[in-house]
């Protein structure tokens, strides 16, 4: 496959072509995902739960993400790799730049930060210094204790309006991609139409510019709980390469997610 860049992703949005993304944490799976056409790989702090066995993502360190980013890059030379910035690694502009640089040196093409307009100065500073940024709105797992659990966000008008404003502020600051997690599909559509940068949804309906799943959910091996917005593609196909290809085909065709995977 041709090398994927931020320009590729922006062009896909402009042309109405869906972006297919998965989390990845090692070289073997990242190569499998690249070989089967996945456009974007996220080295997510979800590793704190699916790899380390934690109940949330807060224990993940920048060193953890950097290590797994190097592993993913080793297996996927041409795929676009985003690295999550862990809990409290971007509380100040200085810390943000320092920790983001470590992840870029490890092989990331972009870093992802959770939060809204309060990140404006940090995103602007990263962009000025040549570090591409992905924003993350909706259910932001690093704020799970503020939310009181993993709960759907944006159902109230005030919160929904604020999320639209946050998305626009992140774009103005220089963000080039936006993840929308566990929000009503109508709000995801509204945000997608309100910004010129691509949006990638997870539990946000089918009207975003792309989709992402945690790879363990894709194959039905997440311990004890499979989210409503996920689908076990391995059960349907019988082998890993076919499952990944089926996911890619269903995302790009618009068949996934279906109405049963979205929130109203």
């Amino acid at each position: 496959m041709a090398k994927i860049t931020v320009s590729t992703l922006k062009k896909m949005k402009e042309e109405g072509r869906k972006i297919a993304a998965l989390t990845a944490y090692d070289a073997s799976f990242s190569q499998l995902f690249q070989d089967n056409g996945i456009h974007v790989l996220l080295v997510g702090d979800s590793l704190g739960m699916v790899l380390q066995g934690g109940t949330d993502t807060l224990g993940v360190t920048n060193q953890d993400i950097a290590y797994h980013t190097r592993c993913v890059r080793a297996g996927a030379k041409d795929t676009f790799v985003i690295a999550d910035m862990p809990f409290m690694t971007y509380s100040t502009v200085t810390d943000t730049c320092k920790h983001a640089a470590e992840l870029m040196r490890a092989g990331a093409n972009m870093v992802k930060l959770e939060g809204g307009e309060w990140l404006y100065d940090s995103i602007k500073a990263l962009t000025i210094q040549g570090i591409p940024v992905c924003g993350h709105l909706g259910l932001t797992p690093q704020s799970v204790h503020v939310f009181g659990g993993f709960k759907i966000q944006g159902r109230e008008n005030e919160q929904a309006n604020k999320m639209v404003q946050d998305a626009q502020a992140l774009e103005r600051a220089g963000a080039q991609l936006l993840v929308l997690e566990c929000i009503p599909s109508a709000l995801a559509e509204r945000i997608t139409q309100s910004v010129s940068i691509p949006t990638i949804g997870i539990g946000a309906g089918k009207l975003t510019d792309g989709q992402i799943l945690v790879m363990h959910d894709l194959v039905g091996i997440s311990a004890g709980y499979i989210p409503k917005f996920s689908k076990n593609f391995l059960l349907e196909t019988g082998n890993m390469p076919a499952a990944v290809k089926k996911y890619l085909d269903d995302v790009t065709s618009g068949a996934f997610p279906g109405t049963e995977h979205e929130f109203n």
Side-chain angles (χ1 to χ4, degrees):
M1 64 183 289
K3 192 175 185 68
I4 304 291
T5 68
V6 289
S7 298
T8 309
L9 301 177
K10 185 172 178 60
K11 186 175 182 182
M12 289 178 74
K13 177 184 176 90
E14 292 168 350
E15 295 177 351
R17 293 186 288 133
K18 296 289 188 179
I19 298 164
L22 287 170
T23 66
Y25 314 99
D26 67 21
S28 297
F29 277 106
S30 62
Q31 182 172 346
L32 172 69
F33 298 158
Q34 177 174 277
D35 289 348
N36 284 277
I38 299 300
H39 308 115
V40 175
L41 299 178
L42 170 66
V43 184
D45 59 4
S46 50
L47 69 86
M49 301 174 74
V50 297
L51 298 188
Q52 297 174 343
T55 57
D56 55 40
T57 65
L58 305 189
V60 177
T61 67
N62 217 56
Q63 289 71 32
D64 291 335
I65 297 292
Y67 169 80
H68 288 281
T69 299
R70 285 191 290 271
C71 294
V72 167
R73 178 53 74 202
K77 304 294 186 184
D78 296 324
T79 307
F80 194 81
V81 175
I82 304 172
D84 259 344
M85 296 196 67
F87 179 64
M88 291 301 290
T89 60
Y90 49 98
S91 57
T92 68
V93 172
T94 299
D95 281 350
T96 304
C97 293
K98 173 188 173 183
H99 292 123
E102 291 175 358
L103 300 181
M104 295 296 287
R105 292 189 191 104
N109 298 114
M110 175 179 272
V111 297
K112 181 168 75 63
L113 293 72
E114 297 181 7
E117 191 168 4
W118 67 273
L119 288 170
Y120 186 94
D121 290 342
S122 291
I123 292 174
K124 188 172 182 180
L126 290 174
T127 303
I128 288 171
Q129 296 181 73
I131 298 179
V133 176
C134 176
H136 185 156
L137 295 172
L139 172 54
T140 47
Q142 292 173 20
S143 301
V144 63
H145 294 301
V146 174
F147 297 150
F150 294 93
K151 299 180 178 180
I152 311 308
Q153 301 297 306
R155 280 182 163 153
E156 297 78 26
N157 286 335
E158 183 177 353
Q159 190 185 38
N161 291 337
K162 179 64 166 62
M163 211 176 293
V164 174
Q165 294 169 7
D166 282 339
Q168 293 170 336
L170 296 181
E171 180 177 17
R172 287 196 302 273
Q176 293 174 284
L177 200 64
L178 187 60
V179 168
L180 303 175
E181 181 169 356
C182 290
I183 63 174
S185 54
L187 175 57
E189 179 185 17
R190 183 179 164 197
I191 292 172
T192 299
Q193 293 176 347
S194 75
V195 295
S196 66
I197 59 177
T199 62
I200 296 181
I202 177 167
K206 66 167 56 183
L207 297 177
T208 52
D209 298 308
Q211 300 293 324
I212 186 167
L213 285 180
V214 173
M215 57 166 281
H216 296 70
D217 293 340
L218 176 86
V219 295
I221 60 171
S222 291
Y225 173 69
I226 300 296
K228 169 187 170 70
F229 54 74
S230 185
K231 179 181 177 181
N232 185 342
F233 285 85
L234 182 60
L235 185 65
E236 185 175 342
T237 58
N239 67 75
M240 282 293 301
V244 176
K245 185 64 165 59
K246 175 66 172 171
Y247 170 70
L248 173 71
D249 291 344
D250 284 4
V251 169
T252 54
S253 70
F256 177 81
T259 54
E260 68 273 24
H261 304 115
E262 65 183 31
F263 302 102
N264 298 315

